[in-house]
Amino acid sequence: MAVEYPSPSRDAQLIALTGFQQVARLAQHGLAGAADTPALPMTDVTLSVPHQVHHVGLEHLVARRPLTDSAVTGWRYLVLAEEGAVASSEVSVGTDERPPVLEQVNVGPYVQATAAALQGLDEVPAVRSGRYELHMLKIPALSAFLLWLRQLDGDADLFIALSPAPDFFAAGRIYREDELLDLLEGPARRRLEFDDSPLGGYETEK
């Protein structure tokens, strides 16, 4: 499988690991902010498959701008324990004005969906024959989250919709960029129209 993983700074990795451990400690003691978080291992965990996180807005999709123009907002890692992936830990992108900080620790379904998608990549002919770098594409306004395989020796990027996926996607399916933009343009346009309507999209009673 020819998937490569970029190397974030050691600071980002340390923040991701210590942030996860802090959340695990809070959850273990049932403290505020982690009451709904399941028990998480605090030791014998490792960070794996680092990948950049990109956010895309609705206007970007309606204009059909290349997804490579999307904003890079952070680094995401899978947190692995003996039983497999137990969480993801996400760190913001640092700048000269603002150092990287922990954005979130997630234990929801996208963690297992990410792990499952990565395990199946060695069966994809295009991946076996090319070189790809792992990224993640987030479209919060449409509740769409995808793994993004950016081709390093070409421009035939691949996108995998993670479960749970919106109804215009098939979770686990691999999409090309043009196909993906075809699927996203309509929902993005409708959502923009809804958000721009009076009263936030709600009609008054007649």
Side-chain angles (χ1 to χ4, degrees):
M1 181 175 64
V3 176
E4 301 179 15
Y5 304 101
S7 299
S9 69
R10 292 184 62 85
D11 286 346
Q13 183 172 342
L14 180 61
I15 292 167
L17 181 58
T18 57
F20 167 79
Q21 291 171 332
Q22 182 179 21
V23 169
R25 189 176 301 111
L26 292 172
Q28 187 178 64
H29 293 90
L31 298 179
D36 297 328
T37 302
L40 294 169
M42 295 176 57
T43 59
D44 298 326
V45 296
T46 58
L47 300 181
S48 183
V49 296
H51 45 283
Q52 285 186 320
V53 178
H54 302 247
H55 274 72
V56 175
L58 298 174
E59 294 86 353
H60 188 126
L61 299 173
V62 169
R64 294 185 68 94
R65 291 169 52 198
L67 294 174
T68 49
D69 292 346
S70 57
V72 177
T73 59
W75 288 94
R76 179 177 183 256
Y77 301 79
L78 287 186
V79 182
L80 303 183
E82 184 178 357
E83 63 269 32
V86 295
S88 64
S89 187
E90 190 172 322
V91 177
S92 67
V93 172
T95 65
D96 292 340
E97 296 78 22
R98 181 174 180 266
V101 296
L102 181 74
E103 289 287 348
Q104 64 170 328
V105 171
N106 188 282
V107 296
Y110 294 122
V111 174
Q112 296 304 320
T114 298
L118 292 175
Q119 288 178 353
L121 288 180
D122 57 353
E123 301 176 3
V124 179
V127 176
R128 288 202 305 265
S129 61
R131 291 180 58 230
Y132 294 86
E133 186 174 81
L134 184 68
H135 294 246
M136 185 172 192
L137 184 69
K138 291 186 175 184
I139 314 171
L142 298 179
S143 299
F145 300 85
L146 304 98
L147 288 186
W148 179 0
L149 299 177
R150 294 186 65 170
Q151 192 174 37
L152 299 176
D153 51 3
D155 57 2
D157 293 1
L158 305 174
F159 299 83
I160 306 172
L162 297 179
S163 177
D167 56 10
F168 49 85
F169 279 154
R173 179 175 170 180
I174 297 177
Y175 295 93
R176 303 282 183 177
E177 183 167 351
D178 285 349
E179 184 181 15
L180 184 65
L181 290 173
D182 287 343
L183 293 171
L184 289 169
E185 183 180 357
R189 191 179 302 278
R190 289 191 292 272
R191 180 60 186 268
L192 275 176
E193 292 171 351
F194 178 88
D195 289 346
D196 289 342
S197 62
L199 300 180
Y202 292 95
E203 293 184 353
T204 56
E205 295 183 355
K206 297 180 180 179

